[in-house]
Every structure is written in structure tokens, then in C-alpha cells.
């Protein structure tokens, strides 16, 4: 009998064996303590994710993956969800906590960041020279980066030292601001609550809530005025109130003060001067539409405005002008042009990446947190109290060349008097330059203009008699949008302007849809070539317009198409395309 001993093989480990630790990046105890101390008693709700990321960014000047993992655990979210939001926005600097520099040291956050605006108005005013000179003047501890439009085009060129904007910046001005430690933007003089009340402020709102004005009368006055959305879409304001009011409650309101369109700065200008006029208009709209809570989305570049608005909201809530005031939440953007699109803004308010939604359903039916939502631009609400005081016919009585209403034109570029100019709707560019901007700069001859910011197209000076208003520019391949007018002279070229705009669109595309993500990059490559492939650009433009999810991709071809149509000499002549 065989007495050999057969060794027993160890059993294979069970696939169901319990893990010693969760999958993925482990949460560092010190980082978790940092997050808990920073958040304190603040709620850990998903919609506050971006607000909490700002707290971390402001405190540590960067977002380490250790802190992101800790924040995910604290908010009971997956690390992937937190990381994808943090990495989506320009103003969050995500750094791997286990990454190292060449010398083995962990990367340190820059002591200070200086952002130089490279939008068209600032580029024409010398932003490129600033970007070249500042790194050598400020040293290695100060990070200098190019930034998209910061909403101060009338002050071009603009550099932002930390959170402090330096207007009409020369290199010496920026160095002086850095050396003096001027890194915070503070509000200037403005009409506060007490002064606004002395001027009769909130009287119209009180008439509404007391019953002296009926909802129907108020909405009818808005319809009679012809006021349309002044963020760019131009939807009639009174009709929008009716649509949302007819939806089942609870209803919410989202106010767009993201104002990221290059060339636009009217909302900031009005907010810095008279915040309560806007707040009264906002509360009247909320009353008329039966709104239960309001979310104000303010772009991150407007730091002084945020301080101002937060202080005035506190004063208003301490002595509310109406009973049953809706809750008002002030939310902070994080540097994403796409969040000017209404559904992308709503996604951002909910604490997500700012990616536009497919429609229908529209936000008036299914908007913020899945509820019917009244979405409005700042300036639209700013006009409400005055329209109701003076009557809808008063607003409609203004206008030129057969148009009705008033428009706030943000004018920048080669004019003597850039700024926000309140003018009749339908005014022509030539009238605007001559009557409101004191003409062109000395030594500059009017050459071309952008009637509606980056996405509104480019027209030659010869077409200076077109009324500037909704629906008047579409036959020429342009639109007025937010009425951001950038004036070019014979020192500039339309093709260079188109390249500036397309680079902006490429950088700001959210990447959700292929026609926009790939189309903007391909278009930029094509217009940087010595000779433009007109046939390929036309095909690309058609695909982007037809297949992009939102207005960014649909409107991005406008500047290029206009150059091809109205400025053929610029890309047909040898060397012109690289001027």
C-alpha cells in the first residue's frame, strides 16, 4: 500500500474576501480634519459643493487631491464626482497631493496669482506686452496667467492681482499693486439701502404685495413695455412671468449675473452703483410669478460686487420690505463662460459641472432642482421698478429707426469714451460712436465693429447704418446679444479679432458635444493658416450650427463667417491672415 503523504495545497483566496480598506484614494486623516474645521457647521448638501470648493481654494490657494478626497467623504459623494466638478472650472487649481517636482518636493501653491485679461479689447490695448513682461518683473513666487474676459473691457488692459483688478494696467501698476499687497477688490461708493429707501425705493414692491397693484396689471405693464431678456436671448419678460406662474409650485428663480461674454460689463456697472434697484425688480418678479426661493449666480471675477451684494442682502433681510420674503441664496461662479447659458448655470447652482441640458424640457417647466424656474438676467430685472413706476408705454416710447425701448450698450475698443451708454434701441453704430462715445481715438479711423460681443459677428464700418436691436442684425449674419459693442480701427484687423474669439470659444467649450469641442479647435487651426480653406470652414460652420447642443457652438462660427463674407481681402492677400 502506498504510504506516500500527499501535501495539501493552500486554498485560493476567495474572490469575496473582505477588503481591508475601501477601493480608490484613501482619505488622509489630516486632510479630513482640515476640511471639517473649514466647513464648520455649514450644511454638507450636494448643491453646496462649489461653495465648499471655493473655501478650500481660498484657504490653500489650490485644491489637493487629498482635500478633495476628504471633502468627498464629508459630503458623502464619490471622489470622482468631486474631482470632475473641481477640474471643470478655471478658478480651481487641482494638484495631486502625491505629485512631486523634479527635486522631490511636493508642489507648492503660488504665493499670488496675477491674471491678465486677453480678451479682444484688452488685447488691442496691450495685454500681450503685459503677459510678456510681468513674469520677469514679479519673480517666480507670483504666477502670471492669461485669463478670459474679466468684465472690465472699458478699463482695458486689465490685470487682476489676486482678487484686485488693476484698470488700464501698465507693468508698473501691476508691480506696485503686488508690492503694496493690494489683492482684494473692495466696493466703491454706491446707493445703499437707507439711501434707496429715501429715494422711494421698494415702494412699487410694497404696492404689489399690499394689493394696490394686481399681478395681472403688473404683468400686463411688462408686456406693454416690450422689455425683452437683456442677457442676450431676448425672450419677452412679461410672457416669461406668465409661463412660470402657470406651472405648478413650488417655483424657483435663478438670476444670471455671470456676464462672461467678451465685451460685456453693463451688469457689473449697474450693480456697483445701485444694487437695490435690481433687488426690488427681482422681488417684484418673484411675487408676480409666485416664487418660493431665489438663487443669484454671480461670476467669480466680481469680488467687490459679491461683498457689496452680500452686505446689502443682510440689511434687506434684517428689515424685509414684504412679508413672506422668498429665501435668497447668493452663489459664486468659478470661471466658466458656459455658465452664462441658463441650463448650464442651473447645473452649476446644483453643484455640478456647468454643462448645458438638452431641451425640451425648458427650464420654465423643469429647471433648478427639477422645479419650474424663472430665469432672468440682471439688467432685465434692473428695469422692472422704473417701468412699473412710469408705465410700460414710457419704456416703449424710446427708440430710433422704428425700434422701441432703451438699451445699455457696453462699448469698448478704439473710442474716446468707452463705458456703458444708455441709448435708444435701434441706434446705429455711427450714431453711438458720434453721440455717446465722443468719436474715435485720435489717429484711428473706424474700420469694423462687433455688435454683440464675441459671438455676435463682425461688420465693416461701411455697414454703419443698421439699427442695433433684436432681430435687426440676423439678416447680416450677426446679432446684438447683450449689446457688447467692440469698435475696431484701421490699426486692427477683423481676421485677428476672429482668431481671438475662436481661441476663446475653444478654451471655453464645455466639451460635452463633439461639434463644439472639436469644431472650435479645428476652426482655430484653419484660420491660423496662411491661406484659409473657405470650403472646409463653410462645412465646419454648418455642422457646428446644426448639431451643437447650445448657443456657444452654434454661434462660435459667426466671427469667421463674417470675415469671409465682409473682409475677404484680409485672408486672400499674401500675409494678411497673420497680421
Amino acid at each position: 500500500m502506498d504510504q506516500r503523504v500527499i501535501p495539501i495545497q493552500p486554498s485560493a483566496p476567495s474572490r469575496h474576501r473582505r477588503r481591508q480598506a475601501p477601493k480608490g484614494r484613501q482619505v488622509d486623516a489630516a486632510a479630513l480634519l482640515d476640511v471639517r474645521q473649514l466647513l464648520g457647521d455649514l450644511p454638507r448638501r450636494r448643491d453646496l459643493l462649489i461653495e465648499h470648493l471655493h473655501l478650500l481654494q481660498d484657504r490653500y490657494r489650490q485644491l489637493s487631491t487629498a482635500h478633495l478626497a476628504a471633502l468627498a467623504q464629508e459630503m458623502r459623494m464619490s471622489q470622482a464626482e468631486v474631482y470632475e466638478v473641481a477640474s471643470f472650472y478655471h478658478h480651481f487649481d487641482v494638484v495631486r497631493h502625491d505629485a512631486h517636482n523634479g527635486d522631490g518636493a511636493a508642489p507648492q501653491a503660488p504665493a499670488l496669482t496675477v491674471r491678465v485679461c486677453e480678451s479682444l479689447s484688452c488685447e488691442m490695448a496691450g495685454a500681450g506686452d503685459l503677459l510678456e513682461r510681468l513674469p520677469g518683473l514679479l519673480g517666480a513666487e507670483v504666477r502670471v496667467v492669461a485669463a478670459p474676459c474679466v468684465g472690465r473691457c472699458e478699463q482695458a488692459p486689465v490685470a487682476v492681482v489676486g482678487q484686485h483688478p488693476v484698470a488700464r494696467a501698465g507693468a508698473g501698476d501691476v508691480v506696485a499693486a503686488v508690492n503694496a499687497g493690494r489683492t482684494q477688490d473692495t466696493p466703491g461708493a454706491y446707493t445703499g439701502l437707507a439711501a434707496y429707501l429715501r429715494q422711494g425705493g421698494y415702494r412699487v414692491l410694497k404696492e404689489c404685495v399690499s394689493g394696490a397693484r394686481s399681478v395681472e396689471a403688473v404683468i400686463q405693464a411688462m408686456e406693454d413695455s416690450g422689455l425683452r431678456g437683456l442677457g442676450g436671448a431676448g425672450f419677452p419678460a412679461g410672457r416669461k412671468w406668465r409661463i412660470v406662474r402657470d406651472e405648478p409650485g413650488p417655483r424657483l428663480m435663478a438670476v444670471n449675473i455671470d456676464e462672461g461674454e467678451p465685451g460685456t460689463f453693463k451688469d457689473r456697472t449697474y450693480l456697483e452703483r445701485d444694487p437695490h434697484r435690481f433687488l426690488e425688480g427681482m422681488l417684484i418678479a418673484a411675487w408676480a410669478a409666485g416664487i418660493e426661493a431665489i438663487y443669484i449666480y454671480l461670476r467669480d471675477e466680481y469680488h467687490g460686487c459679491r461683498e457689496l451684494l452680500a452686505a446689502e442682502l443682510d440689511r434687506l433681510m434684517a428689515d424685509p420690505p414684504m412679508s413672506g420674503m422668498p429665501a435668497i441664496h447668493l452663489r459664486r461662479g468659478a470661471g466658466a463662460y458656459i455658465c452664462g447659458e441658463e441650463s448650464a448655470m442651473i447645473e452649476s447652482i446644483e453643484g455640478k459641472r456647468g454643462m448645458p441640458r438638452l431641451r425640451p424640457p425648458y427650464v420654465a417647466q423643469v429647471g433648478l432642482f427639477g422645479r419650474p424656474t424663472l430665469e432672468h438676467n440682471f439688467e432685465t430685472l434692473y428695469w422692472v421698478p422704473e417701468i412699473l413706476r412710469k408705465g410700460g408705454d414710457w419704456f416703449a416710447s424710446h427708440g430710433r429707426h422704428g425700434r422701441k425701448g432703451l438699451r445699455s450698450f457696453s462699448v469698448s475698443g478704439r473710442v474716446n469714451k468707452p463705458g456703458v451708454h444708455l441709448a435708444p434701441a435701434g441706434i446705429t453704430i455711427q450714431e453711438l460712436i458720434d453721440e455717446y462715445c465722443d468719436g474715435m481715438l485720435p489717429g484711428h479711423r473706424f474700420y469694423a465693429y462687433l455688435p454683440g460681443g464675441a459671438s455676435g459677428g463682425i461688420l465693416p464700418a461701411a455697414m454703419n447704418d443698421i439699427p442695433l436691436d433684436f432681430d435687426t442684425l440676423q439678416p447680416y449674419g450677426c446679432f446684438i446679444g447683450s449689446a457688447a459693442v467692440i469698435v475696431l480701427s484701421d490699426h486692427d484687423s477683423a481676421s485677428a479679432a476672429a482668431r481671438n474669439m475662436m481661441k476663446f470659444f475653444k478654451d471655453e467649450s464645455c466639451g460635452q458635444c463633439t461639434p463644439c469641442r472639436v469644431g472650435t479647435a479645428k476652426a482655430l487651426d484653419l484660420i491660423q493658416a496662411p491661406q484659409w480653406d473657405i470650403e472646409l470652414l463653410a462645412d465646419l460652420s454648418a455642422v457646428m450650427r446644426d448639431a451643437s447642443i447650445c448657443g456657444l457652438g452654434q454661434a462660435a462660427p459667426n466671427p469667421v463667417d463674417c470675415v469671409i463674407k465682409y473682409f475677404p481681402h484680409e485672408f486672400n492677400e499674401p500675409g494678411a491672415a497673420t497680421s
Side-chain angles (χ1 to χ4, degrees), residues 235 243-244 247 341-343 346 357-368 370-375:
F235 193 86
I243 291 171
V244 175
E247 292 293 320
E341 196 275 341
E342 62 177 6
S343 65
I346 284 173
R357 297 175 179 177
L358 290 170
R359 291 171 287 184
Y362 296 95
V363 300
Q365 286 80 39
V366 182
L368 190 55
R371 301 308 312 162
T373 302
L374 178 63
E375 190 276 340

Side-chain angles (χ1 to χ4, degrees), residues 339-575:
C339 290
E341 196 275 341
E342 62 177 6
S343 65
M345 177 188 68
I346 284 173
E347 289 284 299
S348 189
I349 292 172
E350 292 180 355
K352 305 172 189 173
R353 293 176 295 171
M355 304 183 84
R357 297 175 179 177
L358 290 170
R359 291 171 287 184
Y362 296 95
V363 300
Q365 286 80 39
V366 182
L368 190 55
F369 307 118
R371 301 308 312 162
T373 302
L374 178 63
E375 190 276 340
H376 263 313
N377 165 259
F378 169 92
E379 195 201 350
T380 312
L381 298 169
Y382 184 80
W383 281 107
V384 169
E386 190 161 3
I387 286 173
L388 294 180
R389 276 196 301 270
K390 298 180 178 178
D393 292 342
W394 163 80
F395 188 81
S397 68
H398 296 84
R400 288 188 189 177
H401 307 297
R403 311 304 298 179
K404 293 183 178 181
L406 292 164
R407 293 305 302 263
S408 301
F409 292 93
S410 303
V411 185
S412 60
R414 309 295 194 179
V415 294
N416 276 313
K417 188 179 177 183
V420 175
H421 298 293
L422 182 62
I427 193 172
T428 67
I429 183 63
Q430 194 65 60
E431 292 168 339
L432 188 63
I433 292 171
D434 294 343
E435 298 176 29
Y436 290 84
C437 301
D438 292 347
M440 300 291 292
L441 286 171
H444 290 259
R445 180 172 55 83
F446 181 32
Y447 175 67
Y449 65 107
L450 285 72
S455 53
I458 310 174
L459 292 172
M463 299 174 66
N464 63 351
D465 58 351
I466 303 170
L468 299 178
D469 197 13
F470 294 116
D471 310 321
T472 60
L473 293 157
Q474 281 85 336
Y476 308 99
C478 299
F479 59 82
I480 193 168
S482 57
V485 177
I486 304 175
V487 179
L488 309 185
S489 77
D490 52 350
H491 293 214
D492 311 304
S493 75
S495 57
R499 283 191 292 276
N500 180 288
M501 298 297 143
M502 193 56 71
K503 181 181 183 300
F504 171 80
F505 291 132
K506 171 182 172 290
D507 293 341
E508 294 298 324
S509 173
C510 75
Q512 180 178 193
C513 68
T514 303
C516 178
R517 181 183 68 249
V518 177
T520 51
K522 180 64 175 177
L524 181 60
D525 287 343
L526 289 171
I527 64 175
Q528 286 176 330
Q531 296 296 323
W532 288 17
D533 188 332
I534 305 305
E535 185 177 348
L536 184 54
L537 281 167
D539 288 345
L540 187 59
S541 172
V543 170
M544 292 174 68
R545 292 182 190 282
D546 293 343
S548 295
I549 289 175
C550 80
L552 192 157
Q554 295 163 10
N558 284 346
V560 175
D561 290 351
C562 284
V563 171
I564 293 170
K565 186 174 182 179
Y566 300 116
F567 304 89
H569 59 282
E570 289 199 15
F571 59 85
N572 282 337
E573 293 177 359

Side-chain angles (χ1 to χ4, degrees), residues 263-348:
T264 311
F265 47 90
K266 60 185 177 58
D267 293 351
R268 170 189 58 80
T269 301
Y270 287 145
L271 179 55
E272 287 176 337
R273 298 173 181 173
D274 199 357
H276 285 280
R277 178 170 160 179
F278 148 69
L279 291 174
E280 183 176 10
M282 179 185 78
L283 291 172
I284 292 170
W287 165 81
I291 301 299
E292 295 192 10
I294 302 170
Y295 290 78
I296 302 173
Y297 190 84
L298 179 65
R299 72 180 306 199
D300 195 33
E301 289 84 350
Y302 292 171
H303 297 281
C305 289
R306 186 171 63 253
E307 182 179 333
L308 176 163
L309 195 52
E312 292 306 313
L313 282 171
D314 286 343
R315 294 186 179 99
L316 190 66
M317 299 307 288
D319 186 17
M322 61 183 289
S323 59
M325 278 270 287
I328 302 174
H329 307 275
L330 180 58
R331 292 296 176 84
R332 179 178 174 184
Y337 166 74
I338 193 64
C339 290
E341 196 275 341
E342 62 177 6
S343 65
M345 177 188 68
I346 284 173
E347 289 284 299
S348 189

Side-chain angles (χ1 to χ4, degrees), residues 46-54 57 61-63 68 71 77 80-95 115 143 145-148 258 297-301 331-357 368 507-511:
R46 166 64 193 259
D47 63 290
L48 292 173
L49 173 59
I50 294 174
E51 297 296 308
H52 296 342
L53 288 171
H54 273 302
Q57 176 74 39
R61 304 191 304 280
Q62 64 184 16
L63 298 176
L68 293 180
L71 181 62
M77 296 174 62
E81 287 179 291
V82 172
Y83 184 87
E84 72 175 8
V85 172
S87 58
F88 180 85
Y89 295 91
H90 294 316
H91 290 185
F92 294 142
D93 299 312
V94 179
V95 179
R115 289 183 166 86
R143 180 178 63 164
V145 296
D258 195 56
Y297 190 84
L298 179 65
R299 72 180 306 199
D300 195 33
E301 289 84 350
R331 292 296 176 84
R332 179 178 174 184
Y337 166 74
I338 193 64
C339 290
E341 196 275 341
E342 62 177 6
S343 65
M345 177 188 68
I346 284 173
E347 289 284 299
S348 189
I349 292 172
E350 292 180 355
K352 305 172 189 173
R353 293 176 295 171
M355 304 183 84
R357 297 175 179 177
L368 190 55
D507 293 341
E508 294 298 324
S509 173
C510 75

